[in-house]
Amino acid sequence: MAVNDHDWAVVISVSEYEGASAQPPWITKLKGPDKDAAAITEWLTSPEGGGLPAENVMQVPSPFPPSASGVPKQLEIVEAFNELAELPTDAYNQRSGRRLYVYVSGHGLVGQSRHDVAVITAEATFEDGMNVLITSWLDWFWYAARFEEFVLWVDTCATRVPPSIELRPCDRDRETRADAAQGDLLIIFAAGFNYTSVENELEGDWHGVFTHALLKGLKGAAGSPVTTQALKTYLFNSMKTFMTDAQRRNPQVAKEPWFEQAADLELAAPGAQQTFTATTRFPPECVGKRVTVSVNATSPLVADETLAAEEWKLELPVGAYAVYVPELGLQAAFQVTGGQDAVVTVQ
């Protein structure tokens, strides 16, 4: 059952590109966007997630091949935003709704301003780099005060736009109400200005690293309820843990997302906080001794055990911890990121 029936979403993914078949290819095919868009849609329509009615989620997936639908991808995206703009403004507090989500995954470009982020559309070629300037559409809805809250998640590279490509902005006449430009904004980009985002094989399938981490956080890894600050902390600590070693070594790859705006929103309230495995390893003389785990000196202990072996596995929520062997004066700090399992050696 939908719990937020005044919320709306536009979910856009582009995996296949006409230009990918050129020799040499101008742009590469992607493996993750359509899967990620489907996973985002699943979260948006889940009562434990966004709680939207299915009919309030406008999906614009990749056609295959790119020209199969007979409608240019660029036009499909523009039509989705125009359809959203035509919603009545008396549905929710003289607005079209409470919250608007926009999710985008594919190849991206950024203009002269960091805020000018576009998605390259499926029919793009080297000669005609067709695109849609996504942030200009979000701005239109924000200035028109169509919603109270606005959430934009962009899983694309932030590559500088070549001089030969002109970004296509929203072409609707601007609407400016008395309460224009006052809605709360949460805008997260997978990559900062001129950095690249990456995809990877994760849990048996291909996903954008940013989207994979984002969904982990939204589903409870960031804590419960999922607030902006909790999600930000989780993404900064965990996103890079889902990358390959080569991706982490690449200076061009963004290891952390870029938060352009971060209004204090509650995004979800999962039923239970997720826990993750933390493996602590001890020298032999610790076996049989009391071992404790805590978050700081004044908080209650998280764990208190008599060590039975040189390795101890615990299930812990995301956070910073310290493990102690009081009798021997040994200790070690560690962090559970919600990405790879934590491993700490006490010595």
Side-chain angles (χ1 to χ4, degrees), residues 14 28 61 90 105 115 137 151 187 221 233 241 277 285 298 316 347:
V14 190
T28 59
D90 58 355
S105 181
H115 182 74
W137 281 97
V151 177
I187 300 176
T233 300
T241 69
T277 302
E285 59 268 25
T298 58
L316 297 170
Q347 52 188 354

Side-chain angles (χ1 to χ4, degrees), residues 213 216-217 221-222 230-239 242 318 337-338:
K216 289 278 189 183
L231 184 63
K232 184 175 184 178
T233 300
Y234 173 75
L235 289 174
F236 269 73
N237 289 328
S238 71
M239 194 171 92
F242 298 113
V318 168
T337 66

